[in-house]
Structure formats: C-alpha cells, structure tokens
Amino acid sequence: MQIDPRTVARDIPGIFDEIFPQLTPGIVAHFNSCAETFPIEALPPALLSQSTLQRAMLFELGYTVGERLLVGAKIDWAECFEATLKRQRVYFDAVLPEKLDAGDQVLAEIIGRNLSTGLAGMGCQRGLPIVLRPNIPGLEWISSGFGDFSIERTLIEVKCTAKRFSSSDYRQVAIYWLLSFAAAVEGRGEEWQDFVLLNPRSGDKVSMHFDAFLAVISSGRTKIDILQLFQSLVGSRHTR
C-alpha cells in the first residue's frame, strides 16, 4: 500500500521523532517567531462565522481560486468547486454541500487574491516564474505526490489557518526535502534548497534554507546520515 508524503508527515510522526529529534514545540515556536508578514485582506468575521462549509474545504477552495488568479484565468466557481472537492477527497473525508453560498465565494475569493498576490510578489522579486504543483518524488512505500508551489528550487507550501504553523507543517517540508534529496542522490531529481510556509489568511510567511533548518532539527547529523536513517526506517516499516 502506497501512502502519500503529506499523509506520512501528518499521521506517522514517530518516524520524524527519530530522524529529527529536535523538531520540538519550542523549536517550532522559535521558527514561527521568525515569520515575516505580507499584505493581505482580512476575512470578514461575520461571513466566516456564518459559513457552514467545512473549513478545510473552504480554504482549499480559496487555494484553487488563487491558482486560477495566478495564471490569469477568470474564476469559474463550478470548476473551482469540482477541483477542490477532488483534491480534498485525497486527504480528508470531504463533505459535498448542496450549494456554494455567496458568502463562501466571497471568503474564497479573498483567500485566493491574498495567495495569488503574495506569490506573484515573490516571483516578481526573484524574476522567476511560479511553478504550480511541483512534483514530489516517492521512495519505497511512500508514493510520489505534488507540492503546492515552487520557484526554481524553493518549495512553497500554503497553510490557511487562524493558528501559527504547526509541527506537522514543518514535518511536511522536511519529508519533501528528504524525498528530493534521495532522488538527487539516485540521479532522478533535484534537491530542494529552500522552503517557504505561506499563510494567506494571516499574512505570515516563514522562509528558511534547508541547510539551516536541518542543522537545528537533526541533532548534528549530516544529510547522508539523515537519508540513511530515513531509508532504514521506511525500509523496515511494513504497511498493509
């Protein structure tokens, strides 16, 4: 049975306790304290409280709208909703509402515009295009998957929440790096050099070089040591 990398990061944290023992709540809080901000439009609290759409669905819908806006496409709500539902069913038990309320459309469009504006600014600053859904290679029983966005060798992951970035968010970018490094060593891909965690709801943005990130969370292990330990763990773990 193949498991996608995002699910591994979210549901099998024990692997990371061994590989990255220093990824503790205190270190996560430290990373979050280094967050920068980017301009956003705040979500109207009244509309948010009235929405009956699952929060994960609502924010995934905003992400989908942001993708469309980023490539200069018009917002086709039926198309955006279908794409959102399809993507949500991969990771969650998505519930399809009978209709998409006007208030949900307003909320999703605000999120989407915040996201597309923030990404476009990053791309303009670097003079490089934004890549949608970059490939994440697989390894052993971990399937290949897709990230959210990237700029060259910078991975950009979007988290739309009222809270700060969580341990599972940092585990996710860590496993994405691990899989890219394994692919690079085997000559079938390139290693991610940097990552950005981006929140289009709060305007928070954490940017780090992977070398600096790994130096903090890996207890002094080299990249090769990290990879070898990871391979031994995934190789010995049996899935049904």
Side-chain angles (χ1 to χ4, degrees):
M1 177 181 174
Q2 293 276 292
I3 301 177
D4 69 275
R6 188 174 304 191
T7 300
V8 174
R10 189 181 69 242
D11 296 340
I12 316 178
I15 289 178
F16 297 91
D17 292 341
E18 293 192 52
I19 303 173
F20 301 122
Q22 301 304 316
L23 188 54
T24 62
I27 291 298
V28 169
H30 168 69
F31 290 153
N32 285 337
S33 72
C34 300
E36 303 173 59
T37 58
F38 63 99
I40 59 161
E41 178 184 349
L43 297 179
L47 282 183
L48 195 57
S49 64
Q50 291 167 11
S51 175
T52 58
L53 196 61
Q54 281 184 327
R55 286 292 184 263
M57 178 73 76
L58 175 62
F59 297 136
E60 189 75 39
L61 180 62
Y63 171 93
T64 305
V65 170
E67 281 186 322
R68 302 297 194 276
L69 294 174
L70 191 63
V71 298
K74 293 182 179 180
I75 303 174
D76 181 323
W77 286 107
E79 182 181 310
C80 287
F81 194 63
E82 277 303 311
T84 298
L85 182 63
K86 182 178 180 181
R87 200 148 48 197
Q88 276 289 293
R89 279 178 172 158
V90 174
Y91 305 112
F92 306 103
D93 295 325
V95 176
L96 177 65
E98 293 182 3
K99 63 178 181 178
L100 187 60
D101 292 335
D104 292 329
Q105 293 182 12
V106 171
L107 292 168
E109 185 168 349
I110 291 172
I111 294 166
R113 291 196 183 281
N114 288 345
L115 177 58
S116 62
T117 300
L119 288 169
M122 292 171 60
C124 184
Q125 187 177 37
R126 300 192 187 196
L128 294 166
I130 302 290
V131 176
L132 279 64
R133 296 180 62 73
N135 181 63
I136 304 298
L139 181 70
E140 297 277 352
W141 47 266
I142 301 174
S143 68
S144 60
F146 297 96
D148 289 335
F149 302 94
S150 65
I151 302 177
E152 209 167 40
R153 292 170 69 185
T154 298
L155 177 68
I156 304 169
E157 286 298 302
V158 178
K159 305 297 174 184
C160 193
T161 173
K163 300 179 181 179
R164 307 300 296 273
F165 299 117
S166 67
S167 295
S168 64
D169 297 332
Y170 288 100
R171 287 199 302 267
Q172 185 177 333
V173 294
I175 193 172
Y176 285 3
W177 168 78
L178 257 170
L179 293 170
S180 77
F181 184 61
V185 168
E186 295 172 2
R188 54 186 177 89
E190 286 190 307
E191 174 190 356
W192 294 114
Q193 289 186 333
D194 315 86
F195 73 85
V196 176
L197 289 175
L198 196 69
N199 187 334
R201 179 177 177 181
S202 67
D204 286 340
K205 177 175 71 172
V206 171
S207 306
M208 290 189 72
H209 290 283
F210 270 111
D211 284 351
F213 178 59
L214 297 170
V216 173
I217 67 174
S218 66
S219 294
R221 293 190 180 97
T222 67
K223 290 181 179 181
I224 291 297
D225 289 339
I226 293 169
L227 177 60
Q228 288 177 339
L229 177 57
F230 180 62
Q231 289 175 319
S232 71
L233 291 171
V234 299
S236 63
R237 184 181 187 278
H238 298 286
T239 60
R240 294 181 181 180

